[in-house]
Amino acid sequence: MIVLLEGILKKIFGDPNEKEIKNIRVIVDKINSLEKDMESLSSANLAAKTSEFKVRLQKGETLDDILPEAFAVVREASRRVTGMRHFDVQLIGGVVLHRGKIAEMRTGEGKTLVATAPVYLNALTGKGVHVVTVNDYLARRDSEDMGRIYKFLGLSVGLIVHDMDFPDRKAAYAADITNNEFGFDYLRDNMVVDENQMVQRELNYCIVDEVDSILIDEARTPLIISGPGEKSTELYQVLARVVANMEEGEDYTVDEKQKQVAPTEKGIAKAEKMLGIGNLYDNEHGVDYSHQIMCALKAKALMHRDRDYVVKDGQVIIVDEFTGRLMFGRRFSEGLHQAIEAKEGVKVERESQTLATITFQNYFRMYKKLAGMTGTAKTEEQEFQKIYNLPVVVVPTNKPMIRIDYPDVIYKTRIAKYKAAVNEIEECHKSGRPVLVGTTSIAQSEELSAMLKRRNIPHNVLNAKYHEKEAEIISHAGQYGAVTIATNMAGRGTDITLGEGVPELGGLHIIGTERHESRRIDNQLRGRCARQGDPGSSKFFLSLEDDLMRLFGSDNIAGIMDKLGMEDDEPIEHSLVTKSIENAQKKVEARNFSIRKHVLEYDDVMNQQREVIYSQRHKILHQENLKDTIKEMVDETVERTMTMYAPPEVYSEDWDLQALINYAEDFYAPRGLLTVDYLQNLSREELAEYLQKVADDNYQAREDAIGPELMRELENLVMLKVVDNHWMEHLDAMDMLREGVGLRAYGQKDPLVEYKFEAYDMFEAMMEAIKEDVVRYIYRVNVITQPQVEDPLENASTNNPTPEGDEGNLKAEPKK
Ligand code: ADP
């Protein structure tokens, strides 16, 4: 229906994609017309264009005004420095990026070069441009190769990679153009205690390479910075042993589709017996047991070694399901990672406490302008548009694409499928035609590799385990006689050129051994061949036993095969089948989108809160004078003393003055100054005035004692520490709330609505608690004048002489 409507609209209004491309071609004509002039410039004069543009921008011209000239300058600079002259379609892609959209350009179209023009143009504003790549290797390569163009034109380039230290990081961000690692830096910047430790500048313009990989695949798990927590790890080991003795079907059930497990009555009883406890859900440790046993079951039933994770050097490392890459440093959340560690018998790391977290979505949405490029975006167009407000523009190829996509062939069994695939590989190999075989897991790659070995077919296996060499190996995949097996998208971003004589054989042949959940990933695999007008072809070998077919395929296919009385090694090859698989994929894609949207909806709630807290931190770090803010908090506390202990509706004889004194002393009154004897003679008004004066005088006394300068510093430090402590605890509490609120779906309530309400209440409560603690500590913390102490407050808190001990410690109480 919708498709039909789209078709009609296109007929009436024209294809919007075509329209945009046509519109951009006019600009490209202009750029082309400037080429002769640029060619005639000396290198010095060409480079001088940069300062000329900057001046013109200051005088009021816009980026769009100078775009044609700037692009022409970059093209000429590139020709001189790298020998590559931007194709027209590359300039089209560049304009799309400048407009803050996604340029879908096929593999081999030269996206790296495409980015140079908009990067240069936007860097002219001096506000910085970020270029994000999928890994450090590409970041380094791009910043070196393309960096030569920018440097020629007088712009600076910085590179950010994983293991880089603070001064280098900061310097890199100061450059006009930087690559990689931005999300974490943003979080870290909001944890520092000194403004000078921040590395990022404002988030101005960002181009994301392989945008679907970063904004969609990676976006399923938020970025988390965490520190060690305090919970014990022993229980994980105990529970791993418990579930090892439980049987699927008997003791627990598995819903593979929804990725859920649930213990049965019998299983629960069994676990209780093994643990020697009365009731798994209802005792003092109840929450922990029931949650952790779920983790243990999930680890056992749903998480498979060498598919979902690998064990390397005694560590459990997540395998990215889309890229097959090892995600070092990332951990499954909420105890699942520990449960897997226990199952694998490696050291169980302590559960960590979240110190800061943000989703990719909310990080990238902070840029003033965002753009991206990839070979495969169209299938996810809706998501890009809805979540990131990024339209997708399909840019035509430089040369016509002549790839042949053969229809899928389907076998009854996996074994038959592999045999057929290996036969085809052998055939190609005999003729010398190179083959690239895509798989969806490391285990599959290895199975296939073993089969090829038995037939003496030399080949390379590429999977996440050899990430370092990926790029090198895959770049040779198009050579004569090469056979390469790769988990899907391994070596993404690396160009595969054809060897001598290979075009005559039909170019690179791609074999897929399983359809991925997402069509985009399949397209990515097909797209590895037939670049820049090369010949090439692709074919997928599938079986009814594949996950996708088993879980989401309709029963039709199996029915057809049975009816036809087909043998195991007889394939079915029909467009109907391909259609039905595509439908299954669409179903899964939609489901995955809704999962990501769900994560985001929850993060959106926290995002508003994060903005409030981070902006407070900025103020504090920026050394704003906080005295008035804190005095306001003091005034509120004085008022609260009155409403709590001397309310107007209660007779003054009935006021509990001793309690009032205790309260005031807890916050702002010097010990021993207030006495019941004195206070009982005061009217309500007098009492309020008196308390206010006591608080003010005490404040002044502290300021006189240490001097105003140090007092201002102390105010800032107290605020920062208190805000940070409460915020981190709040993050933890929000985690638990999110987990817990899911259960309410059973009570006919919308968990998201519940979550929003409660998150709001919790945030309000936190803000109140922050105020209270700030007042408490500002009157309490002692300053030790000791130069060169890294964190004077930390020091002060541990040296706190208050006999009550704990209250001098800046770690806030968890608010229930
Ligand atoms: P993509 O990322 O789009 O797959 P790459 O950026 O890896 O493509 O570029 C593919 C290859 O094409 C690289 O070897 C690059 O040097 C080359 N290339 C790109 N643009 C041009 C050009 N305008 N002229 C000549 N070679 C180019």
Side-chain angles (χ1 to χ4, degrees), residues 1 7 108 321 328 447 665 772:
M1 184 56 198
E321 119 186 50
F328 291 98
E447 200 174 336
E665 284 183 351
E772 282 187 15

Side-chain angles (χ1 to χ4, degrees), residues 78 83-87 90 105-114 141-142 146 209-210 398 493-497 531-532:
S78 170
M84 290 187 283
R85 172 186 169 276
H86 295 63
F87 303 128
Q90 287 179 313
M105 300 184 74
R106 286 187 32 85
T107 316
E109 289 293 306
K111 288 186 280 294
T112 322
L113 190 62
V114 168
R141 189 196 70 182
D142 290 359
M146 299 300 119
D209 191 10
E210 307 289 357
N398 185 38
T494 309
D495 197 29
I496 305 178
T497 47
R531 54 180 286 289
Q532 289 286 346

Side-chain angles (χ1 to χ4, degrees), residues 443-459:
Q444 262 188 31
S445 288
E446 280 167 2
E447 200 174 336
L448 216 60
S449 165
M451 291 172 81
L452 290 177
K453 264 185 205 145
R454 281 199 289 276
R455 297 208 197 174
N456 287 324
I457 302 172
H459 59 277

Side-chain angles (χ1 to χ4, degrees), residues 155-183:
L155 295 177
S156 53
V157 183
L159 168 70
I160 313 256
V161 289
H162 184 64
D163 48 10
M164 194 177 218
D165 288 337
F166 165 73
D168 295 337
R169 247 172 218 276
K170 181 154 186 165
Y173 275 111
D176 293 305
I177 301 134
T178 30
N179 306 60
N180 245 3
E181 281 264 317
F182 301 111

Side-chain angles (χ1 to χ4, degrees), residues 54 57 63 118-131 155-158 171-179 182 199-207 363 367-370:
K54 283 184 177 172
L57 283 173
L63 288 180
V119 164
Y120 172 73
L121 175 65
N122 285 271
L124 292 171
T125 61
K127 289 182 189 154
V129 176
H130 291 172
V131 180
L155 295 177
S156 53
V157 183
Y173 275 111
D176 293 305
I177 301 134
T178 30
N179 306 60
F182 301 111
V199 294
Q200 285 188 341
R201 300 190 286 166
E202 70 178 307
L203 302 177
N204 177 47
Y205 176 43
C206 180
I207 298 181
Y363 172 72
Y367 280 94
K368 265 203 235 119
K369 186 162 80 177
L370 182 62

Side-chain angles (χ1 to χ4, degrees), residues 63 87 476 604 613 780:
L63 288 180
F87 303 128
H476 300 305
D604 277 346
I613 293 294
R780 185 100 20 120

Side-chain angles (χ1 to χ4, degrees), residues 243 347 445 488 537 690 748 755 808:
V243 301
K347 180 167 177 279
S445 288
N488 70 63
S537 56
Y690 180 64
Q748 307 293 315
Y755 178 76

